[in-house]
Amino acid sequence: MSSSSSSSSAESVARAAREAANLMQTISSSQKSAVLKRIRQVLEERKSQIIEANKQDQEAAQEEVAAGRLSSSLFKRLDIEGAGGQKFAALLQGVDDVDKIADPIGQVTLARKLDEELAMYRVVCPVGVCLVIFEARPEVVVNIACLAIKSGNAAILKGGKEASRTNQILATAIQHAIATAPMQGETAFPERAVQLVATRDEISSLLEMDKYVDLVVPRGSNALVRYIQNNTRIPVLGHADGICSTYLDADADTRKAVHVVVDAKTSYPAACNSTETLLVHASVVGSVFVEVARALLGKGVRMHVDDRARAAIDGANLGHNDVANLVVSATDADFGHEYTDLDVAVKVVDSLDDAINHINAHGSKHTDAQASGKSGAKRGGLAHLGANDLDAQD
């Protein structure tokens, strides 16, 4: 596609999205709910076609991985079915969950009397047109479409080419659902409230269209987010890294620590909220940490450890045959690295303050966790990091 034709195509998409966003201002909560219910219904009806398209994407992507043109972490995000159909079931449940959320539009969040017969109200309203750019993870098409509908916004979606077949069939299903949803009220739901674009040229053109697009949301690699931030005047909502830490406190419970760390690292290592750094209080490096290390090694996790963590591992009988290959010495770069794989950097610290300082220096304020005992008072420390914070207590 030539640059002129791609620009024309992008402008058509953007203009239609703006018109849809304007109409969305008048859409009732019941109409949004009817559309969401219809989306769920159509996705369930077309499950076999969606999964077949996804299998074709995975087969093509496997060849790209073998050729070194696609990372294994991106490949792992492609599957939409999951073991026993669990991911697809979660996708459908997600549509139901969004439908059940109270409609945020029109809610008054602040009211203040300024003078006699003069009051000021802060009322929630839609953003307008959101351009969402993402890599792999085709379920994002459904996630964002449903959230946009619920919040009264129009969405332009651009997924990674590695999931092009799945993205297209999902977008087509959603557009069909919008077009065939039962009417609720006098205003028809705008059929182009959710649109999919396919090329980088279209994205380059859309990033220049601040006349139509109100917000850009990039979801993906550091390189993707930085590129978007550096190539548009439109406001960008996005984080560049998912360097997430878990801290084992001095009074951490062994059973709970093992469960938290193993789940945070291995349940979905390609996700941006997977733990990449494990910080261990020095007082538990020979006890709690040893059991955590044993569990991680059992899951095939490669551990990039500092000297004190290595000493604890060497001094313990972990009963694992591959310790030499799975335990390596950490470098400074390991503590600011997003692995998105079965790797974790390990550092021993002498206090909660040391852990906080390390996270502030190397983390990305995405998602950080601590495993602590009954005190609970220490939770305030990690809360000051400005990230999502999980505190696992006894």
Side-chain angles (χ1 to χ4, degrees):
M1 182 182 291
S2 68
S3 60
S4 59
S5 61
S6 64
S7 177
S8 175
S9 172
E11 185 169 6
S12 174
V13 168
R15 186 184 298 111
R18 169 51 60 198
E19 292 171 356
N22 293 340
L23 289 173
M24 293 283 281
Q25 304 274 348
T26 64
I27 296 299
S28 67
S29 298
S30 60
Q31 199 163 358
K32 294 176 185 176
S33 181
V35 169
L36 290 170
K37 286 181 170 62
R38 180 64 177 144
I39 287 174
R40 189 197 190 285
Q41 181 182 28
V42 173
L43 290 175
E44 192 163 26
E45 290 171 352
R46 300 186 180 187
K47 176 181 177 180
S48 59
Q49 298 100 303
I50 293 168
I51 290 174
E52 176 58 32
N54 186 241
K55 287 180 179 177
Q56 292 176 19
D57 281 334
Q58 290 185 71
E59 290 171 1
Q62 187 67 68
E63 296 178 3
E64 294 296 296
V65 172
R69 293 188 292 265
L70 183 72
S71 70
S72 59
S73 60
L74 277 181
F75 176 78
K76 292 173 184 176
R77 300 183 189 186
L78 273 178
D79 179 30
I80 201 170
E81 183 178 19
Q86 290 182 351
K87 283 190 72 174
F88 197 86
L91 177 68
L92 297 178
Q93 182 60 51
V95 180
D96 289 336
D97 292 343
V98 172
D99 186 26
K100 293 173 184 176
I101 298 172
D103 192 339
I105 303 305
Q107 293 187 15
V108 177
T109 61
L110 176 69
R112 182 175 296 164
K113 183 176 181 180
L114 301 178
D115 205 340
E116 291 299 321
E117 300 185 3
L118 180 61
M120 178 182 72
Y121 297 93
R122 185 173 64 195
V123 183
V124 177
C125 64
V127 172
V129 176
C130 300
L131 170 61
V132 184
I133 306 163
F134 54 96
E135 299 172 333
R137 293 191 62 192
E139 66 267 26
V140 172
V141 172
V142 179
N143 300 156
I144 298 301
C146 292
L147 289 170
I149 289 167
K150 188 71 176 189
S151 56
N153 294 294
I156 303 172
L157 308 176
K158 168 64 172 75
K161 64 179 181 180
E162 63 279 352
S164 59
R165 299 172 184 83
T166 316
N167 292 338
Q168 184 60 61
I169 198 169
L170 288 172
T172 300
I174 290 167
Q175 289 164 347
H176 174 75
I178 291 173
T180 58
M183 283 281 291
Q184 301 284 329
E186 298 181 358
T187 304
F189 200 96
E191 293 186 16
R192 299 189 70 179
V194 178
Q195 300 178 85
L196 182 73
V197 295
T199 68
R200 290 185 178 181
D201 286 342
E202 288 173 304
I203 288 300
S204 296
S205 297
L206 287 167
L207 291 176
E208 298 176 357
M209 296 183 184
D210 50 338
K211 176 181 178 181
Y212 301 115
V213 180
D214 299 292
L215 182 68
V216 183
V217 184
R219 297 185 55 177
S221 67
N222 184 308
L224 170 68
V225 177
R226 294 298 185 199
Y227 172 82
I228 300 301
Q229 291 172 332
N230 293 331
N231 286 276
T232 187
R233 297 185 301 271
I234 303 167
V236 176
L237 177 64
H239 65 86
D241 293 293
I243 302 172
C244 308
S245 299
T246 297
Y247 169 58
L248 303 184
D249 206 357
D251 54 359
D253 172 73
T254 301
R255 178 189 61 81
K256 192 160 292 185
V258 169
H259 175 75
V260 167
V261 175
V262 171
D263 182 72
K265 180 66 259 183
T266 68
S267 61
Y268 193 0
C272 56
N273 62 350
S274 173
T275 286
E276 306 289 17
T277 299
L278 177 62
L279 301 173
V280 183
H281 193 282
S283 65
V284 296
V285 69
S287 53
V288 177
F289 168 67
V290 168
E291 296 308 314
V292 170
R294 190 192 309 277
L296 289 173
L297 292 172
K299 293 288 187 177
V301 177
R302 183 182 172 115
M303 303 175 67
H304 304 250
V305 300
D306 70 359
D307 291 342
R308 287 195 283 181
R310 176 176 283 281
I313 291 173
D314 290 345
N317 180 17
L318 296 182
H320 195 281
N321 296 328
D322 206 23
V323 170
N325 292 325
L326 290 178
V327 179
V328 299
S329 296
T331 66
D332 289 341
D334 286 325
F335 295 106
H337 185 66
E338 185 178 9
Y339 294 104
T340 63
D341 209 338
L342 288 176
D343 288 79
V344 67
V346 183
K347 183 178 180 64
V348 179
V349 295
D350 294 312
S351 66
L352 174 63
D353 286 342
D354 285 349
I356 291 171
N357 290 336
H358 177 92
I359 296 172
N360 281 331
H362 301 279
S364 59
K365 298 186 183 300
H366 190 297
T367 305
D368 298 307
Q370 64 176 330
S372 62
K374 297 179 180 179
S375 65
K378 296 177 183 177
R379 186 177 192 277
L382 287 192
H384 293 160
L385 292 170
N388 296 310
D389 177 23
L390 166 67
D391 186 33
Q393 300 177 17
D394 288 344

